[in-house]
Amino acid sequence: MDKPNSFKIPNTKQKRIVIIGGGFAGITMAKKFAGQDVQVVLLDRHNYHTFQPLLYQVATAGLEPDSIAGPLRKLLENHKNIFFRMATVSRIDKEDSKVMSNVGELSFDYLIIAAGSKTNFFGQNEKFEKAFPLKQIPQALDFRSHILQNFEEAVLSSDEEKIERLMNIVIVGGGPTGVELAGALGELKKHVLPNDYPDLDFNRLNIYLVEGMDRLLGGMSEFADKKAQKYLKKFEVNVKLNTMVDSYDGEKVVFNNNETIPAATLLWGAGVMGNVIEGLSEQSVKNSRYKVDRYNLVEGTDNIYAVGDIALMETEDFPKGHPMLAPVAMQQGERLSKNILASLKGKEQKPFKYLDKGSMATVGRNKAVVDLPKNLHFGGFFAWFIWMFVHLISIVGFRNKIVILSNWIWNYFTYDRGTRLIIRPFVPKIKSQKDKT
Amino acid sequence: MDKPNSFKIPNTKQKRIVIIGGGFAGITMAKKFAGQDVQVVLLDRHNYHTFQPLLYQVATAGLEPDSIAGPLRKLLENHKNIFFRMATVSRIDKEDSKVMSNVGELSFDYLIIAAGSKTNFFGQNEKFEKAFPLKQIPQALDFRSHILQNFEEAVLSSDEEKIERLMNIVIVGGGPTGVELAGALGELKKHVLPNDYPDLDFNRLNIYLVEGMDRLLGGMSEFADKKAQKYLKKFEVNVKLNTMVDSYDGEKVVFNNNETIPAATLLWGAGVMGNVIEGLSEQSVKNSRYKVDRYNLVEGTDNIYAVGDIALMETEDFPKGHPMLAPVAMQQGERLSKNILASLKGKEQKPFKYLDKGSMATVGRNKAVVDLPKNLHFGGFFAWFIWMFVHLISIVGFRNKIVILSNWIWNYFTYDRGTRLIIRPFVPKIKSQKDKT
């Protein structure tokens, strides 16, 4: 056996395509390759696919974590040419065409890097150690536990400064994540939490949404920005534009204008960067993404591709690369899988072209903004309905669709959130003098 | 303010009743006291009530954790005389009528200890450090992640000994927990896992159920025992009676007959003990439970009560105390709250009498056993249906009922389990020589 293979994948005559990452791009491709005359090995460090657009609803107790995740093995069931292995790839060896991982090595004929993105603290990770990222399910769960735990602490405290700190939530980044999370928290403040905590004055709960630019939802229309700001105002979210965060120590947020806010919670939604893996040449990486041509081939390689968030495809329409969005990942995945199958049959490959079907964001109950191509924009209840419909049909698995729909109906009519559980040990973190008995 | 109170509970003229624990007894009482002329403070270390009878379904990926938990604040909403505080009580001070906790002190007029039970390793905790208990939601989640992770490791391994170890699951204790868990695992083995892991031979998955006595379901009829054994056989569970476990190091189970089995998973369901709290006299505690009279008053006290699992009420019918079951806890809670309210009005109190409505256990799909009073016993599909009905009406909250019913219907007709997620970091624990590349 000359090919390295500690993954117990059968060595066949089929070309082996290794896909790193079971996100939107990865599962799109795995499904396309199913039943074709290729061998596909999908690697992921988790055993499930995460539907990231709804992470913020897990973080705000609106959905169970299980309902936005799809077990990868379930998704790939009944396809004999598709193999799943739970592994974290640590290095790519271009010369020998193999990947190294925490569970051994695996050779490939084609490698597709679909490793997605992670939170970007712009090189200041140590300054933001206490900030919450929101890219994975355990992070969403931890955020949920954290804010609920803070309210439990606030109920018990007589220290006014501490209560203020516990009741301030700062969200950094006015993109879809920040806006949707702020809206959902505004809804909790208005409709859910006051019933839960009669001893706590929720007028004291301040939700800040901080954005460096002079507008929200930078990737969307001006109409969407204006509407979102209006909606957030209704949910009593304090939007701070033209403002950046300098540092955060877990108790105090310092802004670039030297203003400070005491806050026990800071969520960082201000940027993402590609999960670049060691091994490929420095020239092939730019802004933490792999430089690819119109066929998603990584610069300087001939059998290594990158798709989705981690791919930097610079074109006339997108001189800074395509946006890091699920639709781009899915479309690139679809195009690339077709191209690989075509090339194996000696047929012509087609360059990728992004079809922008529009973008949208929701801002709490009954409120959303939608941008469609050709400058069509709208907001309000209808936009909110469209938003729900599109997310529901996009999420993987029939079971998840049912569960999420039922939860939404329940939450809507009862003004309730079912999943207000703190599932981590309760350790009051900062015990102030005044609280001692 | 002479009464110690760092919990920010208003000092009123009402008698203050402090309840430790939001289990079956605690929430029954809190609801009974709602709207009455008393002040009630419910303390729990979690912010949710756990419906323990269904924990095993969370552990076997059949239900989301959120669906068997009820946020305590939600349960107590809209009752101005009921306060919830998240706290862990560390000590009871009988002389000064106060409790000490991780968040300060609180005085009481009446104290009700409803702290429930925890896993009992019979003083050999260090010998069973690697065993899984199953009393709380995080434990059930961890068990679920653990077994799924073991299968992922087994897929990757070429070491036959390691694969055997990863594929052996030992359950200690033939009570309802052990029987129901073994049945659910048998169902997974038969209907779910082979589809998920086509590369793994699930004939190699061995489920052992180990019991020290010569029968299963000790608290139930002989009929129930025989039927359960028959059902477990159908699900290919190896039942080992008259056998005790001597030790477990995470890799190997040693039995009292010196037989050993390699096993990466051992679940301990062989016993529970009361969560006894420091402070009361040694004379009031026996077998890790508080000795109480027929009015649930703790021996040697005049305003401290114990109910449910933690109470040892020895009567003619129950010379060794009442069984540690949810119905006992609920009935004692109901009786005691009525008695306290009666005594406050100068009325007569009534001694507790347990009304045994029967007991039941399920053993996987379509199979259960039910014992009713007057020696009525039955099994099979009808028993299974009764089991589901009783559990569904017993669980707190309308939302949970709906979610669980939908999950059961889904699981039944699709032979699927929706929640096969590993939500903890994947670190292959024991890397064997043969697996190295």
Side-chain angles (χ1 to χ4, degrees):
Chain A
M1 197 172 76
D2 46 351
K3 293 178 180 179
N5 178 352
S6 48
F7 283 63
K8 285 178 45 191
I9 307 288
N11 282 317
T12 65
K13 283 182 181 168
Q14 289 173 323
K15 295 285 182 191
R16 178 180 294 155
I17 303 170
V18 172
I19 303 173
I20 305 173
F24 287 108
I27 60 170
T28 301
M29 302 193 68
K31 282 182 190 164
K32 277 277 154 197
F33 286 130
Q36 302 290 335
D37 188 22
V38 290
Q39 184 189 60
V40 174
V41 185
L42 178 67
L43 306 177
D44 199 289
R45 64 197 149 148
H46 295 129
N47 76 332
Y48 53 86
H49 164 79
T50 304
F51 190 73
Q52 290 185 345
L54 291 179
L55 265 182
Y56 83 95
Q57 294 207 3
V58 173
T60 51
L63 291 175
E64 295 95 341
D66 308 66
S67 63
I68 67 155
L72 286 167
R73 288 188 175 277
K74 171 79 192 159
L75 292 174
L76 307 174
E77 242 170 59
N78 305 324
H79 300 301
K80 291 195 172 162
N81 67 323
I82 315 275
F83 297 83
F84 171 72
R85 294 293 183 264
M86 193 161 146
T88 306
V89 175
S90 50
R91 194 178 170 80
I92 298 164
D93 183 336
K94 186 179 123 184
E95 276 63 45
D96 289 351
S97 284
K98 65 180 183 182
V99 294
M100 278 85 118
S101 82
N102 62 330
V103 292
E105 303 184 351
L106 182 67
S107 67
F108 57 78
D109 296 301
Y110 298 93
L111 176 68
I112 298 164
I113 310 171
S117 57
K118 60 183 175 188
T119 300
N120 188 359
F121 292 106
F122 304 102
Q124 304 193 69
N125 294 40
E126 66 297 328
K127 262 193 181 173
F128 293 101
E129 255 179 17
K130 305 274 179 165
F132 282 84
L134 191 59
K135 288 290 289 177
Q136 295 181 28
I137 285 176
Q139 293 167 351
L141 281 177
D142 205 34
F143 181 83
R144 178 182 91 184
S145 292
H146 177 77
I147 57 171
L148 292 173
Q149 202 164 303
N150 285 345
F151 299 145
E152 294 296 341
E153 279 194 57
V155 168
L156 289 164
S157 180
S158 308
D159 175 344
E160 291 302 320
E161 277 179 32
K162 180 177 168 182
I163 296 174
E164 191 189 351
R165 189 169 64 236
L166 292 169
M167 302 286 279
N168 282 344
I169 300 177
V170 176
I171 300 163
V172 185
T177 299
V179 167
E180 298 194 320
L181 190 76
L185 287 172
E187 235 189 295
L188 279 179
K189 171 182 175 174
K190 222 168 164 176
H191 298 303
V192 181
L193 296 171
N195 296 329
D196 259 16
Y197 298 88
D199 327 324
L200 214 54
D201 178 6
F202 273 92
N203 290 318
R204 297 186 67 177
L205 176 63
N206 294 305
I207 305 157
Y208 295 92
L209 180 60
V210 182
E211 165 60 46
M213 292 198 299
D214 60 355
R215 54 161 297 179
L216 298 178
L217 298 172
M220 293 182 69
S221 64
E222 262 185 55
F223 172 90
D225 163 38
K226 290 284 164 289
K227 277 275 177 193
Q229 292 205 38
K230 193 182 124 199
Y231 297 155
L232 287 170
K233 211 166 194 172
K234 283 202 181 152
F235 284 116
E236 297 173 16
V237 173
N238 305 305
V239 177
K240 291 170 86 76
L241 299 175
N242 301 308
T243 310
M244 314 245 276
V245 175
D246 252 10
S247 69
Y248 178 61
D249 62 359
E251 298 192 23
K252 198 176 67 183
V253 191
V254 181
F255 296 100
N256 59 344
N257 56 8
N258 285 323
E259 200 195 333
T260 65
I261 293 177
T265 310
L266 181 137
L267 186 122
W268 187 270
V272 290
M273 61 195 282
N275 279 316
V276 169
I277 300 164
E278 258 186 58
L280 297 189
S281 76
E282 273 180 40
Q283 287 76 41
S284 64
V285 179
K286 183 176 164 185
N287 299 335
S288 300
R289 298 167 90 182
Y290 289 108
K291 285 195 271 182
V292 299
D293 64 14
R294 301 285 294 251
Y295 300 87
N296 283 95
L297 189 68
V298 174
E299 203 174 290
T301 71
D302 51 15
N303 61 346
I304 301 178
Y305 299 84
V307 283
D309 282 6
I310 206 166
L312 183 73
M313 188 190 288
E314 295 170 328
T315 62
E316 309 78 57
D317 295 346
F318 299 98
K320 289 178 178 176
H322 285 64
M324 291 159 99
L325 294 172
V328 176
M330 287 188 280
Q331 291 178 30
Q332 285 187 345
E334 174 133 1
R335 181 73 261 151
L336 176 57
S337 42
K338 282 182 184 164
N339 279 345
I340 289 179
L341 292 173
S343 81
L344 287 174
K345 290 175 187 154
K347 291 184 187 162
E348 202 190 340
Q349 304 189 34
K350 288 182 191 159
F352 174 71
K353 185 152 179 47
Y354 177 47
L355 175 64
D356 183 2
K357 295 178 188 164
S359 44
M360 52 180 93
T362 179
V363 198
R365 199 178 180 78
N366 296 348
K367 293 179 182 62
V369 286
V370 173
D371 283 352
L372 293 181
K374 302 182 199 242
N375 280 318
L376 267 173
H377 317 294
F378 56 99
F381 182 78
F382 183 59
W384 179 72
F385 213 82
I386 297 281
W387 180 92
M388 287 199 297
F389 179 75
V390 168
H391 281 76
L392 212 52
I393 58 163
S394 309
I395 198 163
V396 289
F398 183 66
R399 186 184 174 281
N400 285 342
K401 290 187 211 301
I402 301 276
V403 173
I404 289 175
L405 180 63
S406 330
N407 268 289
W408 283 350
I409 293 173
W410 176 267
N411 295 346
Y412 188 76
F413 287 105
T414 62
Y415 288 85
D416 189 17
R417 293 287 176 280
T419 62
R420 308 196 282 283
L421 315 180
I422 302 175
I423 47 173
R424 59 178 190 179
F426 177 61
V427 185
K429 282 145 297 180
I430 316 135
K431 194 100 181 114
S432 74
Q433 283 303 317
K434 290 183 195 165
D435 275 359
K436 283 192 184 142
T437 46
Chain B
M1 197 175 74
D2 47 350
K3 293 180 181 176
N5 179 351
S6 48
F7 283 65
K8 286 179 43 194
I9 308 289
N11 282 316
T12 65
K13 284 182 182 168
Q14 289 173 323
K15 295 286 183 190
R16 178 180 295 156
I17 303 170
V18 172
I19 303 173
I20 304 173
F24 287 108
I27 60 169
T28 302
M29 303 194 69
K31 281 182 190 165
K32 278 276 155 198
F33 287 129
Q36 301 291 335
D37 189 21
V38 289
Q39 185 189 60
V40 174
V41 184
L42 177 66
L43 306 177
D44 199 290
R45 65 196 148 146
H46 295 130
N47 76 332
Y48 54 86
H49 165 78
T50 304
F51 190 74
Q52 289 184 345
L54 290 180
L55 264 182
Y56 83 95
Q57 293 206 3
V58 173
T60 50
L63 290 175
E64 295 96 340
D66 308 67
S67 62
I68 67 155
L72 286 167
R73 289 188 175 276
K74 171 79 193 161
L75 293 173
L76 308 173
E77 244 170 55
N78 306 324
H79 300 301
K80 291 195 174 161
N81 67 324
I82 316 276
F83 297 83
F84 171 73
R85 293 293 184 268
M86 192 161 144
T88 306
V89 175
S90 51
R91 195 180 169 77
I92 297 163
D93 183 336
K94 186 180 125 185
E95 277 62 46
D96 291 349
S97 284
K98 65 179 184 183
V99 294
M100 278 85 118
S101 81
N102 62 330
V103 292
E105 303 183 352
L106 182 67
S107 68
F108 57 78
D109 296 302
Y110 298 94
L111 176 68
I112 298 163
I113 310 171
S117 57
K118 61 183 175 191
T119 300
N120 188 359
F121 292 107
F122 303 103
Q124 305 194 69
N125 294 39
E126 66 295 328
K127 263 194 182 171
F128 292 102
E129 256 178 17
K130 305 275 178 162
F132 282 83
L134 191 59
K135 288 290 289 176
Q136 295 180 28
I137 285 177
Q139 293 166 351
L141 281 177
D142 205 32
F143 181 83
R144 179 182 88 183
S145 292
H146 178 77
I147 56 170
L148 292 173
Q149 203 165 301
N150 285 346
F151 299 144
E152 294 295 342
E153 278 194 59
V155 168
L156 288 165
S157 180
S158 308
D159 175 345
E160 292 301 320
E161 277 179 32
K162 180 176 168 184
I163 296 175
E164 190 188 353
R165 188 168 66 236
L166 292 168
M167 302 286 279
N168 281 346
I169 301 177
V170 177
I171 301 164
V172 185
T177 299
V179 168
E180 297 193 321
L181 190 76
L185 286 172
E187 236 187 294
L188 279 179
K189 172 182 174 173
K190 222 167 162 175
H191 299 303
V192 181
L193 296 171
N195 295 330
D196 260 17
Y197 298 87
D199 327 324
L200 215 55
D201 177 7
F202 273 92
N203 290 319
R204 297 184 67 176
L205 175 64
N206 294 306
I207 304 157
Y208 295 93
L209 180 62
V210 182
E211 165 61 45
M213 292 197 300
D214 60 356
R215 53 162 297 179
L216 298 178
L217 299 172
M220 294 183 69
S221 64
E222 262 184 56
F223 172 90
D225 163 37
K226 289 284 164 291
K227 277 273 177 197
Q229 293 205 38
K230 192 182 124 199
Y231 296 156
L232 287 170
K233 210 165 194 171
K234 282 201 182 154
F235 284 117
E236 298 173 17
V237 173
N238 306 305
V239 177
K240 291 170 85 78
L241 299 175
N242 301 307
T243 310
M244 315 245 277
V245 175
D246 253 10
S247 69
Y248 178 60
D249 61 0
E251 298 194 23
K252 199 176 67 185
V253 190
V254 181
F255 296 100
N256 59 345
N257 56 8
N258 286 322
E259 199 195 333
T260 64
I261 293 178
T265 310
L266 182 138
L267 186 121
W268 187 269
V272 290
M273 59 194 284
N275 279 315
V276 169
I277 301 164
E278 258 185 57
L280 297 189
S281 77
E282 273 180 38
Q283 287 75 42
S284 64
V285 179
K286 183 175 163 185
N287 298 339
S288 300
R289 297 167 89 182
Y290 290 108
K291 285 194 272 183
V292 298
D293 65 13
R294 301 287 291 249
Y295 301 87
N296 283 96
L297 190 68
V298 175
E299 202 175 289
T301 72
D302 51 15
N303 61 346
I304 300 179
Y305 299 85
V307 282
D309 282 5
I310 207 167
L312 183 73
M313 187 190 288
E314 294 170 327
T315 63
E316 308 78 60
D317 296 345
F318 299 98
K320 291 178 177 177
H322 286 65
M324 292 160 99
L325 295 171
V328 177
M330 288 189 279
Q331 290 179 31
Q332 286 188 344
E334 174 134 1
R335 182 73 262 151
L336 176 57
S337 43
K338 283 182 183 164
N339 280 344
I340 290 179
L341 292 171
S343 82
L344 287 172
K345 291 174 186 156
K347 290 185 188 163
E348 203 191 338
Q349 303 190 34
K350 287 183 191 159
F352 173 72
K353 185 150 177 49
Y354 176 48
L355 176 63
D356 183 3
K357 295 177 188 162
S359 44
M360 51 181 95
T362 180
V363 198
R365 197 178 180 78
N366 295 349
K367 294 180 181 59
V369 286
V370 173
D371 283 352
L372 293 181
K374 303 182 199 238
N375 281 319
L376 267 173
H377 317 293
F378 55 99
F381 183 78
F382 183 60
W384 180 72
F385 212 82
I386 297 280
W387 180 93
M388 287 200 296
F389 178 76
V390 168
H391 281 77
L392 213 51
I393 58 164
S394 309
I395 198 163
V396 289
F398 183 66
R399 184 185 174 281
N400 285 344
K401 290 187 211 302
I402 300 278
V403 173
I404 289 176
L405 180 63
S406 328
N407 268 289
W408 283 350
I409 293 173
W410 176 267
N411 295 346
Y412 188 75
F413 287 106
T414 62
Y415 288 84
D416 189 17
R417 292 288 174 280
T419 63
R420 308 195 280 282
L421 315 180
I422 302 175
I423 47 172
R424 59 178 189 179
F426 176 61
V427 186
K429 282 147 296 182
I430 317 134
K431 194 101 180 111
S432 74
Q433 283 303 318
K434 290 185 196 162
D435 275 358
K436 283 189 186 145
T437 46

